[in-house]
Amino acid sequence: MKRLFSILFILPALYSCSLAQVQKKYAELITEESSRKHLTILASKEFEGRGTGQEGGRKAANYIADHFKSYGLTPIVNGSSYFQPVSLLRIGYTVNSFVLDQTPLENGKDFFVQGDNDLSSFASQEIVFVGYGLQHENYNELKGTDIKDKVILVLNEGEPYDKAGNSLLTGTKSKSDWSSSRFKRIQELVKLQPKLILATNSQVVDMIGRMKGRLTSGRIALDNGDNNRMLTQPVPVVNISEKIAEQILSKANSSVTKFKEEATVQVQKPLVITSKLDAEMGVTKEKLNDPNVLGLLEGSDLKDEVIVLCGHYDHDGILPDGTFFPGADDNGSGTVAVLELARAFAAAKKEGKGPRRSILFIGLAAEEKGLLGSKFYVENPILPLQNTVACINIDMIGRIDDKHLNGNHNYLHAIGLDKLSSELQSVTEKANKDFVGIELDYSYNDPNEPMRLYYRSDHYNFAEKGIPSAFFFSGLHPHYHTPEDTVDKIDFPMMVKREKLIFHTAWEIANRDKRLVVDSNKK
């Protein structure tokens, strides 16, 4: 009898050990070699930074779909496609032409525009120079001047000071809100209804150089079918360099320096300058449909319950001058993880060891534009959200961040694990203890953490629907959103270790008897 009890005690342990070995076998299919191969392709010049609405983004979507197909994942969009087109709208400010005194100027090179006016023509034979554009009770440059429907030029920084260093507006060494506010000067000029504002300051050239094509690329939003929009800045502001401003002022034998010197003595009246301007510019809209890429691995006895395992594939794309943003870490690394985990789970299923719950692998579109791909999915789910038991989001897992550079490299930031379910964190920690053994850093999970990263990646759209959601992240570094986010800087041994932790966590969630409990309101 004693021997029988011993055998009965040993059998469950042996069974558990056997299951662990099976699980570990498929995790080992995730390798540095295969991860490096995927990432080298996705972050290459051929994929041009995987920009939304760009050819590189389309190539990335096709790459993911082709691999989902090769793994045997099921296309579930309309029963036959891996692509869920995301209804997007690119809202841009288009400058068809801008000619000043018969010299064509180029948007994004010579100037950039802020405005939301409809596409319109602008023509004028004169430009009114309004100096600092100040309308202060102690210093009013516009008093008695009507600038309605005029093209005006303004120095969009600073204010006059006397020889003692006192502001002529405040009477002290403190500057007025006309200088401290970024918007007041322009907002007050707009109220006077000029046709167009030419604004210059010492930062324009630097801004154009730093931002490059981003100043002219517009913004992308979900297309809700509503063509109405609020006009918050109907008068366009054309930000020009001081060099161009000087060329305009020279026609009236003036200059920025001369004006500033005279403005310290007394208020200068607006100067009417004969200068011809012709332009056509305004807001344009373009429909886009970059897709979410979905592949389903159907489960066994609990197949109606679904785990979403996702990462966004888009990045900042390529600029008109050819500068491209490889996005190796952000989020080539997360995209590769989705592919690697899909391959490992698919291999398990082919050998009869597949998950009990279904796993929906998603390469998400347009995250960089405001979490748009994930938002579109949760508003247009292909599988019922009430059957979605968890979302695991992988966004940047390939680097050692600034926080750990001089310390422990064996870590992963875990964000959101305790927000909706008391079990998601314990499942992850057990998987880590049993199989991987890295530091789970919860510093970004603190509700008082100023960056609030829990709210800034794709998992959050699922969390808002009450779905327990985890965000795995290796942290920020100096090359974040720069052309230097390249493959050679990826720590592949750590990236693979992190992929394996996520695999084991997903395996545990997919095969446990009960779905994760939802018992918290911390979302």
Side-chain angles (χ1 to χ4, degrees), residues 261-278:
E261 289 174 351
E262 294 173 344
T264 63
V265 178
Q266 62 182 3
V267 177
Q268 299 297 297
K269 293 182 179 180
L271 183 63
V272 179
I273 303 171
T274 300
S275 185
K276 186 178 180 181
L277 182 145
D278 284 291

Side-chain angles (χ1 to χ4, degrees), residues 262-466:
E262 294 173 344
T264 63
V265 178
Q266 62 182 3
V267 177
Q268 299 297 297
K269 293 182 179 180
L271 183 63
V272 179
I273 303 171
T274 300
S275 185
K276 186 178 180 181
L277 182 145
D278 284 291
E280 183 182 55
M281 56 191 186
V283 172
T284 57
K285 296 180 179 180
E286 177 189 3
K287 290 183 179 291
L288 304 174
N289 60 356
D290 288 39
N292 292 326
V293 189
L294 281 62
L296 180 69
L297 187 74
E298 190 173 76
S300 56
D301 60 314
L302 298 174
K303 65 181 181 181
D304 290 338
E305 295 182 6
V306 181
I307 301 165
V308 169
L309 205 158
C310 61
H312 74 90
Y313 65 83
D314 67 301
H315 192 54
D316 286 347
I318 189 168
L319 301 180
D321 67 359
T323 302
F324 88 107
F325 298 80
D329 191 28
D330 184 15
N331 184 35
S333 62
T335 303
V336 169
V338 171
L339 291 172
E340 287 287 87
L341 269 66
R343 180 170 60 85
F345 273 105
K349 182 175 179 179
K350 287 176 183 176
E351 296 181 2
K353 306 295 183 181
R356 298 175 67 187
R357 291 178 177 83
S358 298
I359 304 178
L360 179 60
F361 297 91
I362 311 180
L364 289 162
E367 187 270 355
E368 301 289 4
K369 306 304 178 182
L371 318 185
L372 301 184
S374 55
K375 182 174 177 61
F376 186 84
Y377 179 82
V378 299
E379 292 177 355
N380 304 273
I382 303 300
L383 298 175
L385 292 184
Q386 62 266 30
N387 292 348
T388 303
V389 304
C391 170
I392 298 177
N393 176 40
I394 314 169
D395 190 353
M396 297 173 60
I397 59 164
R399 293 284 295 270
I400 307 302
D401 69 0
D402 295 340
K403 290 186 174 185
H404 296 82
L405 204 55
N406 297 317
N408 177 32
H409 289 195
N410 187 41
Y411 76 95
L412 181 61
H413 292 288
I415 305 171
L417 273 64
D418 64 339
K419 295 294 190 283
L420 286 162
S421 173
S422 61
E423 295 178 340
L424 181 54
Q425 182 167 321
S426 60
V427 167
T428 304
E429 289 176 347
K430 184 176 187 304
N432 182 44
K433 179 182 177 182
D434 291 348
F435 296 101
V436 184
I438 66 177
E439 174 198 350
L440 290 174
D441 187 330
Y442 293 112
S443 58
Y444 283 125
N445 199 53
D446 185 339
N448 297 316
E449 207 287 321
M451 296 195 69
R452 293 172 60 82
L453 292 182
Y454 174 65
Y455 306 95
R456 292 174 51 188
S457 193
D458 284 309
H459 63 283
Y460 186 66
N461 283 318
F462 290 85
E464 280 203 307
K465 298 295 183 181

